[in-house]
Amino acid sequence: MTHSSSSPAREPSLADLLAGGWEHRRVILGVPIALALLTLGVTLLQPRTFTSTAAIVPQASTTDLSRVTGLAAQLGLSVPGADQAASPHFY
């Protein structure tokens, strides 16, 4: 496809872009405002839902070995003879 005009196409200037924006100012400002109001309305009309979970952990003895095994369990290590209820898989 060739252009038959003798003058080369020029890039629009900043003034041209601003004039085009001014002509369409209602659309440029109206669409974001309408979407914001629609989002606000949908958000306020939805029912609130809450979710919670709980785990019951038996109280462990406070010996030095239990403290070390608890630390090892948090790091993902397995200590032989340790209480498996305190392992990360329990949680």
Side-chain angles (χ1 to χ4, degrees):
M1 192 182 234
T2 60
H3 295 290
S4 61
S5 64
S6 61
S7 65
R10 65 176 185 89
E11 289 188 29
S13 67
L14 180 60
D16 294 335
L17 294 174
L18 291 175
W22 186 254
E23 290 175 11
H24 298 97
R25 66 186 177 270
R26 288 186 178 150
V27 174
I28 292 171
L29 293 175
V31 169
I33 290 172
L35 289 175
L37 291 174
L38 178 69
T39 303
L40 179 66
V42 168
T43 303
L44 292 176
L45 292 176
Q46 287 182 342
R48 293 182 179 180
T49 57
F50 301 96
T51 304
S52 68
T53 58
I56 299 173
V57 180
Q59 185 175 2
S61 63
T62 58
T63 63
D64 290 334
L65 180 62
S66 67
R67 291 180 189 159
V68 173
T69 55
L71 178 63
Q74 288 179 357
L75 296 174
L77 302 174
S78 175
V79 178
D83 184 18
Q84 294 300 320
S87 71
H89 301 290
F90 177 75
Y91 301 105

